[in-house]
Amino acid sequence: MPDLAAYEPIAGPSVVSDLRELAKRLAGRRVLMVNSTRLGGGVAEILNRMVPLMREVGVDARWDVIEGTDPFYRVTKKFHNALHGKAEEIPPEMFETFLEVGRSNAQRIDLDVDIAFIHDPQPITLVEQRPKRPAVKWIWRCHIDVSRPIRTVWQFLEPFVKRFDAAIYSSPAFAQRMDMRQVLVAPSIDPLSEKNRELTPEEIDAVLARLGVPKDQPIITQVSRFDYLKDPIGVIEAFKRVRKSVKCRLVLAGGTASDDPEGEEVLAKVREQAKGHPEIHLLMLPADSHLEINALQRASAVVVQKSIREGFGLTVSEALWKARPVVASAVGGIPLQVKHGYSGLLVHTVEGAAHAIKQLLNNPAYAKRLGENGREHVRQNFLLTRHLMDYLLLFLALDYQTETIRLNGV
Amino acid sequence: MAMDTQADVATAGLGPHPVRPFRFYTSLILQESTGLRAATLAVLLKLLRTVPESCIYHHTHFFLLQHNYLIPEPTNDFAYWIAEVLGEEGLGELLASMDILEHRTLASLREALIETIDRYVQEHPTARLRFVGEGEEFFFIKAVHVIVPTRFQASTLEEFAYALEHVSPASLYFHMFDARLRVGERANDFAVWLSQQLGLAELGESVAGLDPYGHTLEALRAILLGLVREELRRTESAHA
C-alpha cells in the first residue's frame, strides 16, 4: 500500500507537510474505528486506506467490526433503506434484535480508547457504553443520505445520535436540525487506487478492445448500477437526442445485484430502449472491475451522472479526476463536486442533459477547460489526503468549543 | 496575529532595534453545519440577520481557498447560489461585485449583504417568487479555524521572499484575509510586519493597498513576490 509520501506529488508537498504538522498534536491518540464489514462497500474501502495512513502519522488507530446475525443484517438493511426515504415495514421485535446485537458487541469490543469513531447505524448502540467510559470522545460518521428519512427509523436512532460528541455528514443537505456538533466531511477518492491511477494509452485501448467498444466516435459514459434512481433510461433518451446531430457512442457500465428483482426489471427496460442501436453499449461488469471503469472514464468525451437521487456520487469525482467534462444532475452530493459552468454542467432534465452533452461535444476547448478545472477541484477537495486532514482536525477540535483554535509549535 | 507567541519574540540581532521574526502560520478549516437552509430570498434574508458571524465570513471567503486554481475566480457563495441555483442573475451580479475590502468588520459586511438583497427584492418584487427544490437550498455553514505554525519564519526581507514563495495557499489565505476581518487588524499581516519590523513603510503601504479579492491566491503570491523583489533590487543597487 502506498505511504503518505506517495501522495505528495499529487496533493502537493504543503498538504502533506500540513498533515504531518497537525498529526504531531495527536501523537499516540488512541482511535477506534468501528463499522459493520471489513470487506466490500465504500466504508471498508476508505478504512482500509485511512487506518494505515493515520498510524503512519502517529495516531494509534485501529479498526474493529461488529459481529451480527442474519436477522440483525435484515434489520440494518431495512434501516438503510428507510434512512434513504424508502418506506419499510419494521415490526417492534426487529428493533429489539438490533439492540440485542449491539449490546453483545459492546461486551466484546475493546473501548479502552480516546476516540470511538462509529460508522453508520449498525454499531450505533455502542454509545450506550458512554457512562462506563467518561473519558472517551464519541463520533458518529453517517455515510448515508439522511435528508428525507422515514421518521420512525430516524426517531429510533436519534436518541443514540444525540449521545455522541459530534456527528459527521457528507453534505450539508444531509445534516439535521439538532442541538449538537454536526461536522461536514465529504468522502474522497484514492488517486493511487486501481480505479483512479494514471493509465497508459495502450492500457486504455486494450480494455476498450476487450469490452468491444470502438473508439471511432466520441464516447459518452455513465458508470452506475442499473437502478431507476440512476436513470439509465433517461440517459439513453438524452443520448438519442444528441445522436440526431452529433455522431457518438453511449456506454452504460455497471452491474445489478443478483438478489435485486428491481435491478433485473430496469436492465430489461434498458435493453428494450437500446434495441436496434448498436452504438449503445451495455456493459455488465463485476464489482471489482476497477481497471475497466478507469479506462472507460478516461476514454470518454463526456461522462454523465444523470441520477434522480444520489448519496454522494463519487463517480463524478472519479471522472473529474481524469479531467473529463461531466454532465450531472444537481442532486445529493453532486453540486459539491460540480460548480455549474466552472467544473462541469449541472442539469435537471433529459432535455437539459442532451443540450449539455451537445455543448461539450461541439466545443472541445470549453469541455477541456471544464475537465481541467474539475481535476483541480478534486485535487483540492476530494482526495484521500483532504479526508484524512478533516478527520485529524475533528479529533483536535473535540477538545475545544471555540471557533478558532491556535496551536503552538511542537 | 502572526507574532503573538513567545517563540516568535526571539531577537534576530539586526542593528539597534531587534526584529521580531515573522512566523508563517496556516489556517486549516473544519466545516460545521448550522442546520439552517434557505430555499427563497426571503428566508435567506431572515437567516442572514441571525446566523453567527463565522457563517458570513465562511460564505464570503472560503471559496477563495476552495477554488484558488480557477481563473477568473468564481463568485462568493451567496452570489453563486443566487445567480446559478436560484436564477436571479442580476442580484447575483450585485453580490459578486461587492467590495469586501470596504468593510472593516463582519458586522458591516453582514449589513451590506442584507441591504443589497433587501433593496433588490423591493425593486424586483418577482424575485421573491423564486424558490429552489429540496437539496438545492442555500446551506449555512460555519467554520472552525485551526491555526498551526508552519516551518517558515523570516527575519530579513530575503528570508521573507523565500518563505512567501514556498508556503501553502492556505497560509497566504490566513495572512491576507483572516488577519483583517477575523482577527481585526487594520491591514494584512504582511503589511504590518514589513512596516513595523523592517521599517519598510512604502513597501508595507503597497502590500496593504492590494485588493486581495481581485486575484486568485497564486496571482496574489506572484504580485507580493514582485513587490518584495523590487524592494530587494532597490536596496541592493542603493548599497552598490
Side-chain angles (χ1 to χ4, degrees):
Chain A
M1 254 186 222
D3 61 9
L4 195 54
Y7 293 87
E8 220 175 275
I10 299 164
S14 63
V15 169
V16 173
S17 71
D18 281 355
L19 269 171
R20 292 192 197 280
E21 194 59 42
L22 195 68
K24 285 181 192 167
R25 279 88 178 170
L26 292 161
R29 196 74 64 101
R30 296 166 305 161
V31 176
L32 173 67
M33 298 282 183
V34 186
N35 78 322
S36 64
T37 173
R38 219 170 262 285
L39 288 171
V43 179
E45 208 173 293
I46 281 288
L47 289 176
N48 255 316
R49 295 297 304 117
M50 190 65 86
V51 171
L53 289 177
M54 279 184 178
R55 294 189 68 83
E56 187 190 329
V57 295
V59 176
D60 183 7
R62 58 191 176 84
W63 174 16
D64 207 338
V65 294
I66 52 160
E67 288 170 2
T69 55
D70 284 348
F72 173 77
Y73 289 118
R74 275 199 288 278
V75 185
T76 57
K77 174 74 185 166
K78 279 179 178 284
F79 277 14
H80 184 87
N81 288 341
L83 290 173
H84 272 289
K86 188 177 172 215
E88 286 281 357
E89 192 68 37
I90 308 177
E93 57 271 24
M94 284 193 123
F95 288 101
E96 201 43 52
T97 303
F98 182 78
L99 294 172
E100 270 167 26
V101 171
R103 282 177 197 134
S104 79
N105 274 285
Q107 303 300 316
R108 188 189 57 79
I109 290 175
D110 176 10
L111 287 165
D112 185 20
V113 291
D114 299 306
I115 296 170
F117 198 124
I118 311 299
H119 294 261
D120 284 337
Q122 298 94 331
I124 199 170
T125 58
L126 286 176
V127 76
E128 285 186 326
Q129 302 305 308
R130 188 172 188 136
K132 290 188 202 158
R133 303 273 178 191
V136 177
K137 300 277 186 191
W138 293 81
I139 298 170
W140 185 54
R141 195 342 167 184
C142 179
H143 296 271
I144 304 170
D145 173 357
V146 286
S147 53
R148 281 170 284 183
I150 299 296
R151 294 319 299 178
T152 47
V153 171
W154 181 253
Q155 279 162 2
F156 172 76
L157 293 173
E158 195 177 12
F160 295 105
V161 177
K162 281 181 170 165
R163 297 184 74 176
F164 284 81
D165 292 283
I168 307 176
Y169 297 97
S170 297
S171 157
F174 306 162
Q176 308 288 314
R177 278 199 86 157
M178 285 171 84
D179 189 20
M180 70 177 294
R181 193 167 203 169
Q182 299 189 90
V183 176
L184 303 171
V185 177
S188 60
I189 62 162
D190 182 353
L192 298 176
S193 68
E194 191 67 357
K195 205 193 272 182
N196 297 305
R197 70 175 175 90
E198 295 294 328
L199 296 181
T200 62
E202 294 74 26
E203 282 177 295
I204 297 171
D205 289 350
V207 171
L208 261 65
R210 185 151 47 81
L211 296 175
V213 181
K215 281 177 67 186
D216 55 342
Q217 293 169 19
I219 299 168
I220 299 159
T221 300
Q222 173 160 302
V223 176
S224 53
R225 65 179 189 276
F226 292 95
D227 181 324
Y228 284 118
L229 295 180
K230 308 293 178 188
D231 201 14
I233 293 161
V235 177
I236 293 177
E237 279 177 39
F239 170 75
K240 287 178 180 170
R241 284 171 179 265
V242 174
R243 177 89 190 164
K244 281 183 195 163
S245 57
V246 190
K247 283 204 163 171
C248 50
R249 293 186 177 277
L250 174 66
V251 172
L252 292 177
T256 168
S258 54
D259 60 347
D260 180 4
E262 203 175 80
E264 288 301 326
E265 187 184 302
V266 176
L267 186 58
K269 284 194 179 163
V270 167
R271 285 202 173 112
E272 182 65 31
Q273 290 294 317
K275 218 155 121 185
H277 293 274
E279 69 283 3
I280 299 178
H281 303 263
L282 305 181
L283 304 178
M284 302 299 293
L285 300 176
D288 61 350
S289 309
H290 303 311
L291 173 68
E292 288 76 8
I293 299 292
N294 189 345
L296 283 169
Q297 286 169 330
R298 287 183 190 278
S300 300
V302 177
V303 173
V304 178
Q305 191 62 55
K306 213 213 135 306
S307 305
I308 290 162
R309 286 199 66 188
E310 193 59 75
F312 194 79
L314 268 182
T315 47
V316 169
S317 276
E318 288 167 16
L320 292 175
W321 179 242
K322 289 147 195 145
R324 296 296 87 203
V326 167
V327 171
S329 302
V331 295
I334 291 176
L336 296 177
Q337 299 169 78
V338 172
K339 288 284 164 210
H340 182 68
Y342 292 103
S343 52
L345 298 176
L346 290 175
V347 296
H348 300 80
T349 58
V350 165
E351 291 80 357
H355 180 64
I357 295 168
K358 267 196 283 189
Q359 273 186 319
L360 295 175
L361 291 177
N362 290 336
N363 299 284
Y366 177 53
K368 187 166 182 275
R369 184 153 59 82
L370 292 185
E372 283 167 357
N373 281 342
R375 180 171 167 87
E376 290 311 308
H377 188 50
V378 173
R379 192 195 305 280
Q380 308 266 338
N381 300 292
F382 298 108
L383 294 187
L384 185 62
T385 38
R386 189 276 314 151
H387 201 166
L388 174 60
M389 173 68 86
D390 281 352
Y391 282 168
L392 297 184
L393 284 170
L394 175 58
F395 296 165
L396 275 167
L398 286 173
D399 295 335
Y400 299 82
Q401 292 303 319
T402 51
E403 285 175 356
T404 302
I405 300 167
R406 286 176 198 154
L407 303 173
N408 288 328
V410 172
Chain B
M1 168 60 222
M3 295 158 279
D4 59 0
T5 66
Q6 282 302 312
D8 296 321
V9 196
T11 56
L14 297 174
H17 302 293
V19 170
R20 226 163 30 162
F22 187 93
R23 166 72 78 154
F24 285 79
Y25 284 73
T26 192
S27 176
L28 305 168
I29 293 165
L30 183 68
Q31 299 185 74
E32 289 191 20
S33 166
T34 60
L36 301 170
R37 57 179 73 184
T40 64
L41 282 175
V43 178
L44 184 79
L45 254 181
K46 189 177 149 210
L47 292 173
L48 263 176
R49 294 179 206 277
T50 55
V51 291
E53 280 191 346
S54 66
C55 283
I56 305 290
Y57 184 78
H58 186 73
H59 291 298
T60 50
H61 287 79
F62 186 60
F63 74 100
L64 294 164
L65 193 57
Q66 197 178 25
H67 299 292
N68 79 61
Y69 54 89
L70 281 178
I71 302 171
E73 63 196 30
T75 58
N76 65 63
D77 291 352
F78 296 115
Y80 175 83
W81 182 76
I82 286 171
E84 302 292 342
V85 186
L86 195 65
E88 199 62 41
E89 287 172 7
L91 179 56
E93 194 177 296
L94 286 174
L95 292 173
S97 54
M98 270 180 64
D99 187 356
I100 298 176
L101 208 56
E102 267 183 8
H103 302 279
R104 294 274 275 275
T105 64
L106 288 169
S108 148
L109 180 57
R110 183 204 298 265
E111 274 315 304
L113 287 165
I114 292 169
E115 200 196 311
T116 306
I117 299 173
D118 209 10
R119 199 174 52 233
Y120 184 91
V121 169
Q122 282 177 29
E123 288 167 6
H124 304 81
T126 54
R128 278 185 188 280
L129 303 175
R130 288 189 187 271
F131 67 94
V132 298
E134 209 172 326
E136 290 195 81
E137 301 98 324
F138 187 91
F139 299 97
F140 282 92
I141 293 170
K142 61 181 179 179
V144 172
H145 293 245
V146 179
I147 299 163
V148 193
T150 70
R151 62 190 172 86
F152 295 99
Q153 183 171 297
S155 298
T156 64
L157 198 56
E158 286 88 350
E159 288 172 6
F160 185 76
Y162 177 82
L164 198 55
E165 202 177 340
H166 290 92
V167 292
S168 64
S171 178
L172 282 179
Y173 172 84
F174 172 71
H175 291 292
M176 291 300 288
F177 297 96
D178 276 31
R180 212 179 62 82
L181 268 176
R182 290 187 62 247
V183 185
E185 295 280 351
R186 289 174 70 84
N188 63 64
D189 273 350
F190 298 147
V192 173
W193 185 77
L194 291 166
S195 306
Q196 293 181 0
Q197 296 299 316
L198 292 191
L200 299 167
E202 209 174 306
L203 176 61
E205 222 168 275
S206 308
V207 172
L210 275 175
D211 176 2
Y213 298 96
H215 310 277
T216 64
L217 284 164
E218 288 308 328
L220 207 53
R221 188 199 304 270
I223 295 168
L224 284 165
L225 269 173
L227 290 169
V228 169
R229 283 180 181 144
E230 197 183 306
E231 179 66 33
L232 281 170
R233 272 195 298 275
R234 209 172 15 239
T235 321
E236 236 168 60
S237 56
H239 285 224

